[in-house]
Structure formats: C-alpha cells, structure tokens
DNA sequence: CGGATCGATATCGCTCGGGTATCGCTGCAC
DNA sequence: GTGCAGCGATACCCGAGCGATATCGATCCG
C-alpha cells in the first residue's frame, strides 16, 4: 500500500464522489478510479460500493478510512518533525489551552530554561480539544492537558498534579458566601444555567447555558449574571473582583498531565518531561 | 513522502550500510542510494552522514527513523485490519499474556458472547511486553494488560480493576506462615533472590535471581527453592500445594486495563470494551 | 423517452523506478 | 607508500505505471 493510494482513497471516502475527490486532489477522475480499483485488488477487498449514482463505504472501507487518516497525519507529522529536527537551533513546541495552568506553566518554563542545553520553547496556544490533533500531525511536540476533559488517547502522559474544582459565581450571588457547595447546588440554579463548552467535534452540546470558548468569555458572562461554571481551582485562582469561587466538594478532580506522542525521540521532549515531573 | 521511500530509509537507517539494506529490500544498491538522496531533497534535510566507509544518522534522520517505524507498522496494521474487516464472519483478536487474568477473562468472554451480534473472539497468547506491538501492527484488536508492568503508550485504555500483590514462596519457607509481609522482607532474602522478568526490549535486567518468562516456569523455580517473586493477587490465586502466597502490604497496586488502538472503529471492539467495563 | 450525471474503460505519452556497468573515495595491509 | 578491497555515487538504459483525454454505459429525472 502506498501513501498516494491512501490519500486518494481517503479523499473519495470523505467526498463519496469520485469527481469531487479528483478535483480536491488536483487530478482527473479516471486515474483516481483506476487507483482505487488497484488498491482494492491489492487488499483483496471491496472498499466502496458504487453504482453510477451513489458511492458508499463498505465495512472494510470504513476501517481503512479511520486507519488511513491516522497514517496520513502521522506522515505529515514525520515530515514536520524531521525538518524541525534539522533546524540549527533546537526548538520545541508546547501546546497549551490559553489561560491554562498559569503558575505551573511559568515554573515549568523557568525550570526547563535553566537546564543545560535547553531548546527554545515555543508556546502554541490552542482551543480546547485541539491538543491531540496538534500532537498527532506534528504541529506540536508536547502538550499540557486536563483530564478528564481532554482526551489523551494515543498519547503518552505523565501526571503533574491533581486538583479540585470550584464553582465561579457572581460575587453578589447567595451561594457566593458559602465556604463549599455540591454539584447539585450549582446545577440546580434555574436562573444561572451552566455554561456550555465545545465538545471534541467543536460543536456545543444542547442546553440553556451560554456557549463559551475560553475563560475570558466565561468570566464576562458570569459577571453579567448570565451563566455559571465549575472549573479547576487553579483556573479560578485570581478572579475579577465581581466574581467569587466556591469549592465544589463532589466535583470530579482534574488532573493536569504532560502529554507527547509515544514514539517521540527528541532529547528536548525527554528533558522537558523530566523537569516537569520533578516540579 | 511515500511509503516506499520510508521503507528504504528505515532499512538503511537500521543497517547503516547501503549494500546490506539493498539486499534486505531485494533491490540493487544504486536505486536505493538515489531514493535516499531524493527523500533528503524532498525534506530539504540531510538524513545520513556518509563517506565511503561509514554511514551514520543525523539528528533529523534519528527522528525520521522513529516516526518512520511507527508509520510502517501503522500501514501493515491498516492492511491487516481492512482485510479482516472484510471477512464474512466478524472476528476479533484479543491479546493476553498466557496465564493472566484467569477468572476475569472467562467472565469477559462469556458476557461478550451473550451480546447480540457478538463477533468470534480469537485469543492471541503473547509474552510480556508484546501487547503494544501486536496492537500497533494490527495483529491484535484489543489487549488485556497490567499497569504499571506493561506500557500502554499510544493506546486507549479503560480500567477494569485494581488489586494488590502477593509474594509467592515455598510452602516450607519461614515467611510463608505470615499473614502479611513488606517489600523489604522479600527483597532482603539472600538465599531467595527475586526472579527477573524480561524488560520491554526482551532482555533481562542484571541480578542474581532466576530468569523467567511465564508463571509456570516461575512456580517451578520457586517450588525448587531457587527464587521468589511478587505477583498480582489473582495470578497467585490457585497455587500448587508446595507454594504459599502472602500479601505484600507496600507493593504497588496492579491495574488490569483493556487497551485498544486509539482510532479503532470496529463495532466489535467497542462492544467488548463496553461489556468489560460493566463487569 | 431524451438528456444529464457519474463512474468505468481505452489509449497514449512521459515520468520515474529498477537494473547493469563503472567511477571515485577511503581505509588497510604489507 | 602503494596496491587492493569495500562501499557509495553516478551514468545510462529499459519497462512499468501514472496521469491526461476521449468515450462508453448505466442510472435518475423531467
């Protein structure tokens, strides 16, 4: 199986239309048809059911689509990483959600910079749930992520620390004076529905709460009395005056981990991980 | 970058000799040289330093070797999985260490077989540390493994249960009568050194204890008074008469997890995981 | 029933992958 | 120091395979 064949197959499998796929690939349709037939012959399996009006995936095609996407991003990752490894100054891309892990991040960067032979660390600020893709297609070398919110599937991880969560409320809210609350107290506020964050697919779950993408948006909407949220302690550490944070006793604990692609062989990544676990 | 180029590069990078690599690939040496040059030009980077006596990897080449190996095994995995997905009877390969998780495994297989639309489950018995490779090159679809002994790097996992560990001793040994021991008690026995298991590379660590590969070997050597070992409770559940198991209070707990490649899209895998977590 | 749409097939030119022959450099033996 | 052996690079040739154009055949729609 060759990358070219895989690229062609993934295009057709995603478009479910030979003409459109060929256009997207920048080739004519006949060689595309022929390549797919050839791939099917090599594998000894039909990948697509097609009549002249409709193209659908077979069971086997479905599997190959998932595997093929992973392979294609692994290939672009390999290209990027190889080229960056050849750069004169060794550098390292660390992906973090904006506004995340403020203090930890500072300490980590300082401690790593003090290492002998430390590489330049570039920060890649990303939205929630993007870490995984960034690591898998080689745009980032390491990431800090928050379990169980972010998925670490297919990544190697090392736990840095675990913390509780706090409810963030308008300072004037009745619950804001409490020293602690429970999840039920917070989710049951009809006038203050919980904020909704985008899911792994980038779309928001159904619900009454406001749609937010980052902490700044969130805090503004809470201050306006439009929503509330339960977030990790450290993220609620230094709040605006008009907001209050109250520990939520029964909220699931949040674990901050450092994550990297499992076959990474960069010295800089290994160093950064070592420094991080010693903090 | 094409798979062919990657395959060629990995061969050269592993042999560090163009002639041998060409032989291994079943081609002549000149096209191999040319392909490597072409790959280097595409990436804009030297991958190998070569004079006419010696070939060495550059920094970039080192990175590409690691990435390339991962890609090549992903490709063979994709081929295998696609072909198996096309088979008439859906089937599923579950990798387990021989002698592992006896009771759990029985319950799991029974519960899954009772599911509607259950696939045939083939058991692939493997040696320690092989799970990861089997999953990554598509020889297995799911595995049961024991953290922290086995590595789950690059795999998705779900915890099934956690258990303590027991020391296995000859029944006649003074410690065998104790209701509990500590690690220090067991490791400090000069006449009964701890057994050594092969590491991830397949080689044994240095030490005085016996080298073992599976439980049968281990039990025999313990009965002969040649070695001792600390193993998970369940593995020491039904012992031969001449052996005794004593709980080790401060041994790290062992977690049995079910693991699968992160982009798996097989319904059968999803079903098995669901059944497993409900046990 | 006729036209439009879309995938498959036929055919052609050319690129590129693989082979053989040979060169040139390097380390080593004597 | 010189000759030789080992090894990678280069030159050149041939055939497979990739891509393009033209066309066919099936299906859906009005």
């Amino acid at each position: 199986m060759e990358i070219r064949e895989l690229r062609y197959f993934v295009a057709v499998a995603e478009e479910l239309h030979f003409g459109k796929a060929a256009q997207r690939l920048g080739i004519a349709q006949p060689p595309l048809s022929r390549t797919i037939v050839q791939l099917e012959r090599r594998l000894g399996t039909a990948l697509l059911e097609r009549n002249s009006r409709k193209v659908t995936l077979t069971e086997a095609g479905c599997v190959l689509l998932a595997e093929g996407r992973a392979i294609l991003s692994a290939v672009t990752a390999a290209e990027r990483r190889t080229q960056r490894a050849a750069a004169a100054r060794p550098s390292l891309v660390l992906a973090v959600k904006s506004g995340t892990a403020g203090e930890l991040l500072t300490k980590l960067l300082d401690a790593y910079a003090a290492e002998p032979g430390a590489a330049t660390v570039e920060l890649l600020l990303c939205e929630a749930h993007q870490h995984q893709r960034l690591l898998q297609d080689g745009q980032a070398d390491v990431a800090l992520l928050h379990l169980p919110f972010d998925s670490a599937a297919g990544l190697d991880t090392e736990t840095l620390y675990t913390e509780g969560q706090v409810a963030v409320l308008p300072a004037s809210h009745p619950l804001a004076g409490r020293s602690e609350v429970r999840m039920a107290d917070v989710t049951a506020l009809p006038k203050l529905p919980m904020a909704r964050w985008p899911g792994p697919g980038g779309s928001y779950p159904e619900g009454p709460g406001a749609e937010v993408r980052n902490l700044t948006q969130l805090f503004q909407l809470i201050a306006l009395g439009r929503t509330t949220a339960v977030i990790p302690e450290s993220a609620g550490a230094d709040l605006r005056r008009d907001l209050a944070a109250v520990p939520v006793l029964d909220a699931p604990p949040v674990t901050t981990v450092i994550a990297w692609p499992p076959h990474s062989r960069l010295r800089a990544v290994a160093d950064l991980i070592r420094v991080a676990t010693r903090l």
Side-chain angles (χ1 to χ4, degrees), chain A:
Chain A
M1 209 167 51
E2 283 300 317
I3 291 293
R4 189 185 56 91
E5 298 171 316
L6 217 44
R7 218 186 318 265
Y8 286 10
F9 170 73
V10 169
V12 177
E14 286 180 353
E15 301 283 348
L16 291 178
H17 188 295
F18 280 73
K20 297 220 186 84
Q23 201 171 354
R24 174 172 135 188
L25 293 165
I27 63 170
Q29 168 260 319
L32 178 56
S33 286
R34 198 177 48 195
T35 303
I36 300 294
V37 170
Q38 170 185 326
L39 178 59
E40 288 179 321
R41 239 205 308 267
R42 277 195 204 190
L43 294 172
T45 308
L47 299 170
L48 299 160
E49 301 283 354
R50 42 211 191 267
N51 55 45
S52 62
R53 306 304 296 175
K54 206 167 194 177
V55 177
T56 56
L57 281 171
T58 64
E59 194 76 15
C62 213
V63 169
L64 188 62
L65 176 58
E67 303 275 337
R69 280 176 172 150
I71 291 171
L72 292 183
S73 60
V75 168
T76 72
E79 290 170 349
R80 272 197 261 258
R81 294 219 172 91
T82 305
Q83 285 167 347
R84 296 196 339 114
R89 282 196 62 74
S91 77
L92 189 88
V93 179
L94 172 63
V96 289
K97 277 183 290 200
S98 44
T100 236
E103 196 188 355
L104 176 77
L105 188 55
T106 315
K107 276 200 289 186
L108 174 59
L109 292 178
D110 286 349
Y112 176 70
E115 287 281 299
T120 313
V121 176
E122 292 168 36
L123 288 182
L124 179 57
L125 297 177
C126 61
E127 301 279 326
H129 303 294
Q130 287 191 321
H131 308 84
Q132 204 179 345
R133 190 177 50 74
L134 292 175
L135 289 176
Q136 273 168 3
D137 65 11
Q139 294 187 57
D141 299 307
V142 208
L144 289 180
L145 37 85
H146 282 161
L147 302 182
F149 301 139
D150 305 314
S151 152
L155 304 174
D156 240 10
T157 59
E158 197 72 57
T159 298
L160 299 186
Y161 70 85
T162 300
E163 59 188 326
Q165 298 197 63
V166 295
V168 181
L169 300 160
S172 58
H173 193 276
L175 284 179
R178 301 261 291 266
S179 65
E180 55 189 50
V181 294
R182 301 196 153 265
M183 283 303 286
D185 299 329
V186 188
T187 54
L189 302 171
K191 291 191 180 166
L192 223 49
M194 301 276 283
R196 288 172 295 137
W197 297 87
S203 60
Y204 290 87
E206 287 298 308
E211 299 184 345
V212 297
R213 300 195 73 83
N214 58 52
L215 288 178
T216 315
Q217 292 178 354
L218 177 69
F219 291 161
Q220 183 162 16
L221 287 169
I222 297 177
L224 290 170
R226 306 293 284 272
T227 191
T228 184
V230 173
I231 63 175
E233 267 173 35
S234 62
D238 32 66
L239 287 177
R240 311 154 40 145
R241 287 249 183 86
D242 49 0
L243 297 179
V246 183
V248 181
L249 289 184
D250 56 348
V254 176
T255 308
T256 303
V257 302
I258 185 166
W260 63 95
H263 43 78
S264 175
R265 285 279 170 276
L266 288 175
R267 171 194 313 283
V269 171
D271 287 346
L272 184 67
I273 294 162
R274 190 166 34 75
V275 169
T277 54
R278 283 184 189 168
L279 279 182

